[in-house]
Amino acid sequence: MSTPASLPSEYAAWMERVCATHDAITYTCHHRLGNRSLAEQVSAQVLAGLLTKPTIFRYFGLPYSGRIARLAEARLTEAREGRLADVGSWPELLRGLTVLPLEHQEVIVLACVHGGDDGQLASNLGCDAHTAALRRHSTLEYMRDLAACALPPETLPEDEEPSSDG
């Protein structure tokens, strides 16, 4: 588990993964749709879907790529059928992540990247478990609110979480 002093670099590493994921989704969607603008909109919506449940970023392999595929296929179908909502953008999401308050960055790294439970979160943040749980909840709500700018209003986050480190 990280110590708070190392968080800025770990958050920066997490941001690199988010940006690389965005670029890969955009590239793949552009190839499949043949339209860069649509591909960018699909990618922003997929990234927003990932950010509604940021714990997905602690996984690699099938749990991670599977969630991306589930989110992307629905958006690709909508794009092909001319039904893709024109909401938000990657620059808006990136801007929000770039200015994410430090208290949320800490929780993202400790809980969503490293998978720390409330006890571990409390130990690293220097608070009690109840306060840690409140901070986790607040960060997850903040991320859902941030992602909302790039999600169609009727889109609800999926309930499932990966069950293994795949």
Side-chain angles (χ1 to χ4, degrees):
M1 185 72 62
S2 300
T3 60
S6 69
L7 286 174
S9 65
E10 289 194 68
Y11 185 75
W14 179 78
M15 284 289 298
E16 286 179 28
R17 183 172 186 204
V18 171
C19 291
T21 299
H22 166 266
D23 292 348
I25 295 168
T26 301
Y27 176 83
T28 302
C29 291
H30 182 215
H31 176 74
R32 291 185 60 189
L33 293 169
N35 180 313
R36 179 75 181 183
S37 179
L38 276 177
E40 289 175 357
Q41 185 64 49
V42 167
S43 184
Q45 290 184 29
V46 171
L47 244 298
L50 293 174
L51 293 172
T52 64
K53 296 208 178 252
T55 56
I56 190 63
F57 288 98
R58 78 172 162 247
Y59 297 96
F60 290 87
L62 189 55
Y64 188 68
S65 59
R67 176 138 170 94
I68 292 169
R70 279 191 305 278
L71 293 168
E73 287 304 321
R75 303 293 80 78
L76 285 165
T77 298
E78 291 171 1
R80 282 190 208 101
E81 295 173 355
R83 300 182 296 112
L84 185 67
D86 186 12
V87 293
S89 68
W90 169 241
E92 286 178 87
L93 288 173
L94 183 58
R95 195 169 25 262
L97 292 171
T98 301
V99 300
L100 191 73
L102 181 60
E103 63 267 18
H104 293 309
Q105 289 181 29
E106 292 171 334
V107 174
I108 289 292
V109 170
L110 297 170
C112 299
V113 175
H114 294 296
D117 61 23
D118 289 340
Q120 293 166 319
L121 196 57
S123 175
N124 279 279
L125 297 175
C127 61
D128 60 50
H130 176 73
T131 302
L134 291 174
R135 285 190 63 183
R136 177 194 304 267
H137 177 76
S138 175
T139 295
L140 295 178
E141 283 296 314
Y142 191 98
M143 295 301 284
R144 282 190 282 278
D145 290 345
L146 173 66
C149 78
L151 290 172
E154 69 279 358
T155 303
L156 298 174
E158 297 176 24
D159 289 333
E160 77 273 355
E161 287 289 333
S163 59
S164 70
D165 289 335

